[in-house]
Amino acid sequence: MNSQYFSQETFDFLTTLADNNHREWFDKNKLAYEEKVRTPALHFIEDMASELPTISPHFLAVPKKVGGSLMRVYRDTRFGNDKTPYKTNIGIQFRHEIGKDVHAPGFYVHIEPGGCFVGAGVWHPDTEALGKIRDAVVEKSAAWIAARDSKKFKKQFTLEGESLINAPRGYAKDHPLLEDLRRKDFIAVAQLSEATVRSKNFFPSVLESFKAATPFMQFLCQAQLLRF
């Protein structure tokens, strides 16, 4: 297992890419991308593949250049105003075995100059999945509170994402867990320092965060009738 993956050169590459986000520059610097970004990311994913089953055997770490846990460097420019072609971060998702895209339950690692973090949960779930999670919050409120307020989880993670302004249709407006029922995302984020990402403690720190998120992830999976 590698003890260190990313270096200051990784962050320097991402910073320079942000300043030169066009095809000509990227084509000239593909070798640097391979050496400083993609190769260390794939090594990290490969090592995580041997440890992730200790948390759950149903989340996948796939060290492939395309179609695996490493998210594409190419941005989808079809729908947004930002037409720059490349992502200036490293995104790594260990999604549930049933997942076909980023909306599946998963663990996530985000590496970007000025903003590194670990994530866990479900981002933008479809209507059916979101309804199941909300129903579970209502029907198994004690289990939800225990997962949400677990000491290890709460010490590291903060719940983020989008929420409705009002109570969702079909749920009591005065429900004691209304703040959670209004959530459109059930995402938890734990900040990482760049120093940690560059250090030998990066892998154990990420693994520790994933383990701390276990009660939260287990609740979300069980709510959707998924194996954990």
Side-chain angles (χ1 to χ4, degrees):
M1 180 179 292
N2 291 281
S3 59
Q4 193 169 1
Y5 305 89
F6 304 103
S7 67
Q8 183 58 48
E9 291 177 325
T10 303
F11 286 92
D12 291 343
F13 178 89
L14 295 172
T15 298
T16 308
L17 173 58
D19 293 334
N20 300 272
N21 200 328
H22 52 82
R23 183 175 177 180
E24 183 179 3
W25 184 89
F26 191 82
D27 286 346
K28 289 180 180 179
N29 290 275
K30 273 190 174 180
L31 181 60
Y33 169 74
E34 289 290 339
E35 292 179 349
K36 309 305 180 187
V37 176
R38 184 145 71 174
T39 296
L42 292 175
H43 286 159
F44 169 72
I45 294 165
E46 186 176 6
D47 288 345
M48 188 58 73
S50 65
E51 293 294 334
L52 201 56
T54 64
I55 299 174
S56 169
H58 303 293
F59 289 83
L60 306 178
V62 184
K64 292 168 58 178
K65 287 187 175 182
V66 179
S69 297
L70 179 62
M71 301 178 80
R72 286 163 43 92
V73 68
Y74 304 100
R75 293 181 62 256
D76 187 345
T77 61
R78 292 174 299 172
F79 306 112
N81 293 325
D82 185 354
K83 300 301 181 183
T84 52
Y86 304 105
K87 297 173 185 174
T88 56
N89 67 272
I90 302 169
I92 300 170
Q93 187 187 36
F94 305 109
R95 66 180 62 138
H96 194 276
E97 61 192 1
I98 62 93
K100 298 179 181 179
D101 54 33
V102 296
H103 306 291
F107 297 95
Y108 178 70
V109 178
H110 186 95
I111 298 170
E112 183 174 14
C116 302
F117 62 87
V118 172
V122 187
W123 180 72
H124 286 12
D126 62 29
T127 302
E128 181 180 1
L130 183 56
K132 287 180 179 179
I133 295 170
R134 285 172 173 162
D135 286 346
V137 169
V138 172
E139 296 165 7
K140 301 175 181 179
S141 58
W144 165 247
I145 292 170
R148 184 196 65 186
D149 296 346
S150 164
K151 286 185 178 180
K152 289 183 178 180
F153 178 67
K154 201 168 183 178
K155 183 178 179 180
Q156 295 191 44
F157 286 90
T158 303
L159 292 182
E160 297 189 4
E162 296 181 14
S163 292
L164 297 171
I165 296 175
N166 301 311
R169 185 176 298 175
Y171 299 87
K173 294 181 180 180
D174 59 350
H175 195 282
L177 295 173
L178 181 60
E179 182 178 354
D180 293 320
L181 293 174
R182 290 193 295 109
R183 297 186 187 280
K184 296 166 66 176
D185 301 308
F186 281 81
I187 287 290
V189 172
Q191 301 300 320
L192 279 176
S193 70
E194 290 184 18
T196 298
V197 175
R198 297 193 303 264
S199 75
K200 294 180 180 180
N201 290 325
F202 173 61
F203 186 92
S205 294
V206 172
L207 190 61
E208 181 185 354
S209 293
F210 286 174
K211 289 179 178 179
T214 295
F216 176 71
M217 292 296 290
Q218 190 170 20
F219 181 91
L220 294 178
C221 286
Q222 291 176 346
Q224 298 173 78
L225 305 179
L226 303 176
R227 293 185 295 178
F228 185 84

